[in-house]
């Protein structure tokens, strides 16, 4: 490639971009443009395949988790876990009975947006994501848009009654900016609700061993290391409250739940929640780690699979009375 031009002020000037003049026929040119746009749309829709998993190909920052059918199933199951943990509530914000405009950022499969749209027929519900992994059949007041929440929001100021974001793992690089954009685009009196697991396991009875003696604890710590390597703030949930206050939000309330990591609790509801989380970890740990394990930490897939096999064996014993915070 030819060197770029450099003027006497040290300003780098890229060489002129040459237009594609073939084919010259106007009609064929239009068809070519249409074909090219279709190709780009197809690339976004199909994603990028790595290590047998499909990843989003859109967005200014790479998203570390896959967006394939296995991940769709996990996200939908996770939604059921959240609802049960919140005592059959879709959300915790004290919304009015007739909100008009709702935004779900990082909507994933769209299951939350769909259920909120069904609950509030008065509302126009928009779900945004960098991957088109949402359902096709949706309520008439619900729609999905391919959009990067970290880019400048193009919505009108003061336009939403409620903005929701859940489990934005390894996706957001600038949380204060995201929260500030949400504040700017909420109507006065509107609500922002963020929810995310902080995947640092704990136990109240000392049954959880150290990282050196537990593959499960090692998996969680590795997930945090990957997030830090890619600049995705691994401990972001701990700062949601302060970031909201800094952005101008008032009456900020923080709900912290203990999420059992397997069905070890005696309480039947918590036992069921623990069973959901066990499946989430058993089937989702590869998705959480695979991309970053190789690209960020420089390790092999074989090493990861050995670690995950050890983790699954540990969790199935129910010896660890552990939980993570949500």
């Amino acid at each position: 490639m030819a060197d770029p031009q450099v003027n006497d002020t040290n300003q780098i000037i890229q060489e002129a971009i040459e237009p594609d003049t073939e084919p010259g026929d106007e009609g064929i040119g239009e068809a070519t443009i249409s074909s090219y746009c279709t190709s780009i749309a197809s690339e976004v829709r199909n994603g990028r395949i790595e290590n047998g998993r499909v990843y989003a190909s859109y967005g200014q920052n790479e998203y570390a988790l896959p967006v394939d059918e296995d991940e769709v199933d996990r996200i939908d199951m996770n939604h059921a876990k959240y609802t049960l943990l919140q005592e059959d509530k879709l959300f915790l914000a004290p919304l009015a009975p007739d909100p008009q405009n709702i935004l779900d950022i990082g909507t994933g499969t769209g299951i939350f947006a769909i259920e909120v749209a069904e609950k509030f027929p008065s509302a126009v519900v928009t779900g945004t994501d960098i991957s088109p992994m949402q359902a096709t059949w949706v309520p008439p007041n619900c729609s999905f848009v391919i959009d990067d929440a970290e880019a400048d929001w193009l919505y009108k100021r003061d336009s939403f009654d409620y903005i929701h974001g859940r489990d934005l793992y390894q996706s957001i690089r600038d949380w204060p900016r995201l929260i500030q954009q949400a504040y700017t685009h909420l109507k006065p009196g509107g609500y922002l609700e963020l929810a995310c697991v902080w995947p640092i396991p704990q136990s109240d009875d000392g049954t959880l061993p150290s990282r050196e003696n537990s593959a499960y604890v090692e998996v969680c710590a590795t997930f945090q290391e990957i997030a830090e390597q890619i600049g995705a703030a691994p401990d972001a949930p701990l700062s949601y409250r302060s970031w909201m206050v800094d952005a101008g939000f008032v009456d900020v309330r923080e709900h912290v739940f203990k999420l059992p990591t397997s069905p070890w609790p005696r309480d039947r509801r918590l036992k069921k929640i623990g069973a959901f989380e066990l499946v989430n970890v058993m089937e989702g740990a590869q998705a959480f780690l695979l991309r970053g394990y190789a690209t960020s930490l420089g390790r092999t897939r074989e090493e990861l699979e050995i670690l995950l096999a050890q983790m699954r064996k540990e969790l199935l014993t129910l010896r660890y009375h552990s939980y993570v915070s949500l």
Side-chain angles (χ1 to χ4, degrees), residues 43-90:
E43 180 182 340
V44 171
R45 183 169 57 250
N46 295 333
R48 183 183 298 122
I49 298 176
E50 297 177 16
N51 295 309
R53 302 298 298 263
V54 181
Y55 294 85
S57 59
Y58 180 74
Q60 62 186 22
N61 293 305
E62 283 194 346
Y63 178 49
L65 274 64
V67 293
D68 49 25
E69 289 186 11
D70 288 343
E71 184 66 359
V72 165
D73 293 340
R74 188 194 68 81
I75 291 173
D76 285 350
M77 182 204 66
N78 224 30
H79 174 72
K81 178 190 73 181
Y82 261 92
T83 305
L84 186 60
L85 187 64
Q86 295 173 170
E87 299 183 346
D88 295 326
K89 297 175 183 175
L90 273 176

Side-chain angles (χ1 to χ4, degrees), residues 116-253:
V116 167
E118 291 173 341
K119 182 177 180 64
F120 297 116
S122 62
V124 173
V125 180
T126 304
T128 66
D129 204 286
I130 60 172
S131 175
M133 61 192 299
Q134 296 79 40
T136 303
W137 297 99
V138 298
N141 60 326
C142 180
S143 63
F144 299 110
V145 177
I146 303 301
D147 194 13
D148 185 351
E150 291 212 277
D152 291 336
W153 292 14
L154 302 181
Y155 308 105
K156 293 181 180 179
R157 297 172 62 97
D158 305 334
S159 56
F160 295 103
D161 300 280
Y162 176 58
I163 297 176
H164 174 266
R166 172 189 291 172
D167 280 350
L168 301 177
Y169 290 125
Q170 299 189 0
S171 54
I172 305 302
R173 303 304 195 272
D174 191 343
W175 277 101
R177 181 175 185 272
L178 177 80
I179 291 171
Q180 187 64 61
Q181 289 211 86
Y183 181 83
T184 299
H185 291 85
L186 279 168
K187 297 176 183 177
Y191 290 93
L192 168 65
E193 183 167 343
L194 298 173
C196 190
V197 171
W198 183 51
I200 300 298
Q202 305 171 68
S203 68
D204 293 334
D205 59 4
T207 56
L208 184 68
S210 65
R211 177 176 181 176
E212 293 75 20
N213 298 305
S214 168
Y216 169 60
V217 178
E218 172 69 18
V219 163
C220 294
T222 302
F223 180 81
Q224 295 291 89
E225 289 174 8
I226 292 171
E228 186 170 359
Q229 284 286 326
I230 65 175
D235 297 324
L238 305 183
S239 299
Y240 285 166
R241 180 186 180 89
S242 62
W243 287 333
M244 286 185 182
V245 171
D246 290 345
F249 285 94
V250 296
D251 193 22
V252 179
R253 301 183 184 183

